Amino acid sequence: VVPDETGDRIMFAWPDRDAAHTRITCEDLPDSLIQQIGWAHLCGPATRFDPVGTAVIDFARRCKKAGVPVSVDLNLHTEGFGWDEEYRERILSVVESATVVFGSLKEEFSFLTPDPHTFVSEDRWVVVREGKGGCSLFTAEGDYAVGIYDVPVSDTVGAGDSFNSGFIAAAVLGKSPKDCLLWGNACGNYSVQFPGGHAGPD
């Protein structure tokens, strides 16, 4: 990850040839694992390559069937992985099993739908993170939006992951939809104040 002078970043990630993460199979994600977890968080680019793509899609379906909440950070990175109908269908397969879908309007949702509300259902929330534009949560019961905090920005690397962590923590604790959004927003804004992708509140 290479931050620029504004604190934004260019990411070089997910090598697609002979990398260990692409070799995960369904056998590596057995039902016994699902019985041990309370939430599964998945990354969209994991669906891009096989066998891991098939394994992740299958894992998400089995989690949903078992009643384990599933979140997915779209994180498409089309600049590195390209974009085609197969990738789109794989992402949509994970979204179908998701309880919460995270992404940005311009960099992710725009590749899938003109309106992220189309992914909302009785059992699926959609979170749109827009950096300086704040964030929104769309649910079947209504929409929520919050702006960013006025904090000094050192490095945006990891801000989305920190946001996801705060949001999921609040959801696991049974907080309201708006509180989940506030927790995620606070953690993301905390993260950008520090260099590196590992800053988060304790």
Side-chain angles (χ1 to χ4, degrees), residues 8-134:
D8 207 346
R9 77 280 188 232
I10 299 170
M11 301 183 76
F12 301 88
W14 288 87
D16 60 353
R17 298 290 179 270
D18 300 321
H21 61 264
T22 65
R23 300 178 188 177
I24 296 170
T25 67
C26 293
E27 290 71 32
D28 295 316
L29 302 170
D31 287 340
S32 58
L33 174 63
I34 296 173
Q35 296 165 10
Q36 299 174 51
I37 62 176
W39 190 289
H41 182 66
L42 307 173
C43 182
T47 66
R48 186 63 164 141
F49 312 105
D50 273 327
V52 66
T54 297
V56 165
I57 292 167
D58 176 70
F59 185 68
R61 288 178 181 152
R62 287 185 288 126
C63 283
K64 181 179 181 180
K65 185 176 180 181
V68 174
V70 174
S71 56
V72 59
D73 190 339
L74 296 176
N75 217 8
L76 300 180
H77 287 297
T78 57
E79 75 284 356
F81 305 137
W83 185 246
D84 55 37
E85 190 59 25
E86 181 182 7
Y87 190 15
R88 182 176 189 274
E89 289 303 316
R90 285 170 173 253
I91 292 288
L92 291 175
S93 293
V94 173
V95 168
E96 189 176 310
S97 299
T99 310
V100 181
V101 181
F102 298 99
S104 76
L105 193 60
K106 182 180 178 183
E107 295 175 1
E108 281 123 21
F109 282 111
S110 64
F111 285 86
L112 301 170
T113 176
D115 182 3
H117 285 92
T118 60
F119 290 134
V120 174
S121 68
E122 289 295 328
D123 59 357
R124 184 183 306 118
W125 295 352
V126 173
V127 178
V128 178
R129 302 176 315 228
E130 285 302 299
K132 294 177 182 177

